[in-house]
Amino acid sequence: MTVRVVLADDQPLVRASLQMVITDADDLEVVGEAGNGIEAVRLAEELDPDVVVMDIRMPGMDGIEATRLITAGPGAAHVLVLTTFDDDDYVYAALRAGASGFLVKDMALDDILAAIRVVAAGDALIAPSVTRRLIAEFAERPAPARGRKPVDSLTDREREVLTLVGRGLSNAEIAGELVISVATVKTYVTRLLAKLDARDRVQLVIIAYETGLVAPPR
């Protein structure tokens, strides 16, 4: 099945580069391009893509508000944020707004394609190279009011799994750490998503830090 992608970036060169590499992939297709958040929201409504690759800093409406609007409804497109982490102060806000992950603009193009596939499949992705820096920068900022159930409702094992997810471990790594099967880890992650009303794995990471299960690195 072909993954339908909308590219949202105010830099035509970035869009052209991404479109070229995506077009070469048999299972991916660019169905629209937007130069700002308003256009991204409109194209997401009109074209019903699987993934929107979203820049944050754009004129008119930025990528954070566009992400919030695109992901608001059921069955909405997944948003994959594309940013320059070193000078971009809004990644964490974008994840709060419903983004399923983020990429850094200097990542290898093959990694970007892989990330699009991961997000399209309903999983979430945080670029491993910047996970610790992201959390260190933003984890201690006050969180907006949320209607989440407290982590006190979790079992001991569920809290263990959530802690390891928050530390950035994959399902296979969690299975090795807890000496359980990968299938069992997937079951626990599914339960955590339901209990904590989380959209995806990215939000589980945020919850783990916001509730103090994992401490930001010093």
Side-chain angles (χ1 to χ4, degrees), residues 44-200:
E45 292 174 349
E46 293 179 357
L47 301 177
D48 191 27
D50 300 299
V51 177
V52 178
V53 178
M54 181 80 72
D55 189 19
I56 290 181
R57 291 178 174 172
M58 294 185 291
M61 177 189 292
D62 65 20
I64 296 172
E65 182 60 22
T67 296
R68 184 176 294 109
L69 293 174
I70 289 171
T71 62
H78 298 283
V79 175
L80 192 57
V81 171
L82 181 69
T83 185
T84 304
F85 179 79
D86 286 337
D87 63 3
D88 197 328
D89 204 28
Y90 303 107
V91 176
Y92 194 51
L95 298 181
R96 290 186 187 279
S100 292
F102 70 88
L103 304 176
V104 185
K105 285 185 176 178
D106 62 0
M107 286 180 67
L109 291 176
D110 285 346
D111 291 337
I112 293 177
L113 295 182
I116 292 172
R117 296 183 181 104
V118 166
V119 170
D123 207 339
L125 181 141
I126 304 178
S129 62
V130 296
T131 299
R132 289 184 178 85
R133 294 170 61 189
L134 171 71
I135 296 302
E137 179 76 15
F138 297 110
E140 293 184 327
R141 296 189 177 188
R146 289 172 176 260
R148 294 194 184 283
K149 297 178 182 179
V151 294
D152 291 344
S153 67
L154 303 179
T155 66
D156 289 343
R157 179 63 93 185
E158 287 167 347
R159 288 167 68 91
E160 283 182 307
V161 173
L162 179 58
T163 299
L164 296 175
V165 169
R167 285 169 46 193
L169 274 65
S170 66
N171 286 349
E173 290 169 334
I174 294 172
E177 183 86 8
L178 299 180
V179 196
I180 56 179
S181 70
V182 173
T184 300
V185 175
K186 291 180 179 178
T187 298
Y188 277 117
V189 171
T190 299
R191 289 180 191 169
L192 289 169
L193 292 171
K195 283 191 172 185
L196 298 173
D197 190 28
R199 176 183 171 90
D200 53 36

